[in-house]
Structures are given as structure tokens and as C-alpha cells.
Amino acid sequence: MDFQLLYQAQLWTLMASAALFCATMTMTPGPNNILLASSGAHFGVLRTVPHIAGIRLGSTSLHLAVLLGLGALFEALPVLHQLLKYFALVYLLYLAYRLVTSPVSTAHLDEGRKPMTLLEAALFQWINPKSWMSTITLCSAFTLGGDGFWLSALLGVAVFNLVGFPASFTWVFVGAAISKKLNTDKRRRGFNWFMGSLLLVSLPMILR
């Protein structure tokens, strides 16, 4: 009985630590949050909900894949990791280009623009370097060994989503609040360039 109580205390202490880690990873700036803020500013909260759902779906599938051994596959075949890295680099450059070239004239704001879909956001998690870093850390540093591994690992998946959902909405609400100030072509263009530049700042995470 004492051992069971000790195990439960250890598990919940670990999950509390995991929640703090997840809050740090999901609230700080990164490709996902930059894109969410931009989407909130351009399309509003409701039209960005599929984007948020896609992030959680993609992160969860990546999390489960790493738990099931994808990380070991990358260790065995480093070339796969390099290919993923370069694909992420190219795609982030493309997203930055899309941001800075978005229409800013009121008459053309809806031309060629649409929120990221659920599937696009989900697939993006598989090449997002911050998603990989946080997932691998959760799977290694915030799990118990032995018989407690899978319970702690699955609780970690639940904690990541419970913390991630409100964090994502926070960035969307920030973007939506900023949209009220984007009432001129110059301000909208400046905002697009700023968000695109922030995406480029995340590139060193990939290249190092």
C-alpha cells in the first residue's frame, strides 16, 4: 500500500512538472503561435478553430508515433532526420513568403487567402522543429520507467493537449485584438512583414 501511494505521488508530481513544461513550450513564440496570431488577425477566432484542432491532432499523432518508436528509427537512419530538417526549412520559408506577400488593400484582402486547414496544420506538426523538440523531451524526461511507462506516457499526451488548447486560443485572441489596429494598408503590410520575420527567426532551431 505504501508503495502504491508513493507511485501515485511520483506520477502526479511528474505530470505537474510536465504541465509546466508544456505551458512553456506552447505559450512561447514559435512557428505555430506566430501562424495562429496571424490567422487570428486576418480571419478571426472562429475561422482559425480548424487550425487549432489540426495542431492538436498533428501533435498527438506525432507524440504517439515517437512513443511507438519513431525516434529510434531516426537514430538508426540519420538521413531521414536530415531530409525532414531540410523540408521544414523550405516550408517555413514558403510560409514566410506567403505572409509577407499577403494582400493588404481592403479591396483585395480575401484574394488568394484562406486560413490553414485542419489537415494542413496537422501535417505541419511533423516538420515543425519545436513540435519535435517538445515531443521528444516529453517522451524521455517526463515518463516513468518500467511498468509505469505507458501510463505516464499517455497521461503526458493528455496533459500536452489540456495545456495546448488554451495556449493556442490565447495567441489567436491576441491576433484578433491586433486586427482592430490594422486599419490601413501600411499597418497591414507592416504586420505581415513582422510576422514573416518572426517565422524566419525560428529557422536557427532547424539549422543548428
Side-chain angles (χ1 to χ4, degrees):
M1 185 64 178
D2 290 339
F3 175 78
Q4 185 69 17
L5 290 175
L6 180 63
Y7 169 76
Q8 291 179 359
Q10 184 181 11
L11 181 62
W12 292 115
T13 299
L14 186 67
M15 289 303 102
S17 299
L20 289 174
F21 170 78
C22 292
T24 302
M25 295 305 295
T26 54
M27 284 299 295
T28 52
N32 277 330
N33 291 336
I34 294 168
L35 292 172
L36 285 172
S38 179
S39 183
H42 289 304
F43 306 112
V45 177
L46 289 180
R47 293 183 67 188
T48 307
V49 169
H51 187 164
I52 296 173
I55 290 174
R56 300 322 321 158
L57 176 63
S59 295
T60 299
S61 63
L62 176 62
H63 201 152
L64 293 174
V66 171
L67 288 172
L68 291 171
L70 184 59
L73 178 62
F74 280 141
E75 289 182 8
L77 297 171
V79 65
L80 293 179
H81 184 264
Q82 289 299 315
L83 288 174
L84 183 70
K85 178 185 294 187
Y86 289 122
F87 187 76
L89 172 64
V90 172
Y91 191 64
L92 282 174
L93 288 171
Y94 166 74
L95 289 176
Y97 169 77
R98 286 287 303 273
L99 280 174
V100 301
T101 58
S102 294
V104 295
S105 174
T106 304
H108 303 287
L109 280 180
D110 291 329
E111 292 183 3
R113 292 177 52 191
K114 60 180 182 178
M116 187 174 282
T117 66
L118 184 148
L119 181 59
E120 289 171 339
L123 292 176
F124 178 60
Q125 305 318 302
W126 284 76
I127 61 169
N128 180 1
K130 192 175 182 182
S131 293
W132 276 96
M133 180 175 64
S134 58
T135 299
I136 290 174
T137 302
L138 269 174
C139 292
S140 56
F142 296 96
T143 52
L144 298 175
D147 294 338
F149 173 77
W150 277 107
L151 177 59
S152 61
L154 294 177
L155 283 174
V157 174
V159 167
F160 201 16
N161 282 295
L162 288 173
V163 174
F165 262 116
S168 294
F169 273 106
T170 298
W171 282 87
V172 177
F173 282 123
V174 168
I178 292 174
S179 68
K180 299 176 182 179
K181 302 294 184 180
L182 304 179
N183 51 10
T184 67
D185 291 357
K186 182 178 180 180
R187 289 182 177 181
R188 284 189 286 268
R189 183 177 294 108
F191 177 77
N192 290 343
W193 274 92
F194 177 68
M195 300 306 285
S197 299
L198 286 180
L199 265 187
L200 294 180
V201 170
S202 68
L203 294 182
M205 289 193 303
I206 304 175
L207 297 175
R208 64 184 178 183

